Amino acid sequence: MSQRIPKAMAEKFAAITTLTDAFCDEKLNAEYREIIHQVIGALARKRPSPLLRGMEKVWAAAAVHAVGRVNFLDDPSQTPHCKPSVIYGYFGIAESTGQNKSREIRETLKMGPFSPEWTLPSRLTKNPLVWMLQVNGLMVDIRHAPLEVQRIAFEKGLIPFIPAEQPNQEE
């Protein structure tokens, strides 16, 4: 996915994503790489960009950790999985420094557990926040709604795809 990065931030974006790409190649996967790029791109577009202060390796580690928090990267039942200490050790930064910067990223971008915008595509189906919508004043899991209702929700951009039209959907 191509994203717009302000010219003034292109070099910083490239420096940070070069670091995160190496980490993703070694420890994670292309799916994490894409979401991490989106996070760094969103930070690069902020005015003023927080990326202008601090070291690239700190931002890289913190971006990986922030995305990992949303997607439960430290859960050993997940594949891939990685503990925060491994992330911070890889980038050669103190855990407290990385945790603080990760918190700053999560607060700035309003990232929380199950944040649909920051959830890995492969995990969207199992993310309950993606599918809970208000229909006629009631909260419903749109996956259990009629196909017509799912199509309307998709057309309005409320859900990423139409669950009833996906093969072998697990819940």
Side-chain angles (χ1 to χ4, degrees), residues 83-171:
K83 295 289 181 192
S85 59
V86 172
I87 297 169
Y88 301 129
Y90 179 92
F91 290 100
I93 66 167
E95 194 159 338
S96 59
T97 302
Q99 293 281 358
N100 289 335
K101 195 62 79 177
S102 173
R103 184 178 332 102
E104 180 182 341
I105 291 172
R106 293 189 318 270
E107 288 172 357
T108 299
L109 299 180
K110 297 174 180 46
M111 299 170 78
F114 297 112
S115 290
E117 182 180 359
W118 309 112
T119 298
L120 297 174
S122 65
R123 295 182 55 88
L124 279 174
T125 302
K126 295 182 181 182
N127 182 336
L129 294 185
V130 171
W131 308 107
M132 296 306 293
L133 298 177
Q134 193 170 27
V135 178
N136 296 329
L138 298 172
M139 290 302 290
V140 298
D141 185 332
I142 200 73
R143 295 173 290 189
H144 302 294
L147 176 59
E148 301 78 38
V149 175
Q150 291 181 18
R151 284 190 176 136
I152 292 168
F154 177 73
E155 288 168 8
K156 289 185 174 190
L158 300 173
I159 56 175
F161 55 84
I162 300 170
E165 294 180 348
Q166 298 299 306
N168 301 322
Q169 281 299 307
E170 298 175 18
E171 291 187 40

Side-chain angles (χ1 to χ4, degrees), residues 16-28 33 37 90-91:
I16 296 169
T17 56
T18 296
L19 296 171
T20 59
D21 288 355
F23 184 84
C24 289
D25 288 346
E26 187 174 322
K27 306 271 187 203
L28 301 176
R33 173 192 295 220
H37 276 228
Y90 179 92
F91 290 100

Side-chain angles (χ1 to χ4, degrees), residues 58-77:
V58 174
W59 284 110
V64 169
H65 181 260
V67 172
R69 286 277 304 248
V70 172
N71 292 283
F72 306 96
L73 181 61
D74 66 345
D75 179 349
S77 71

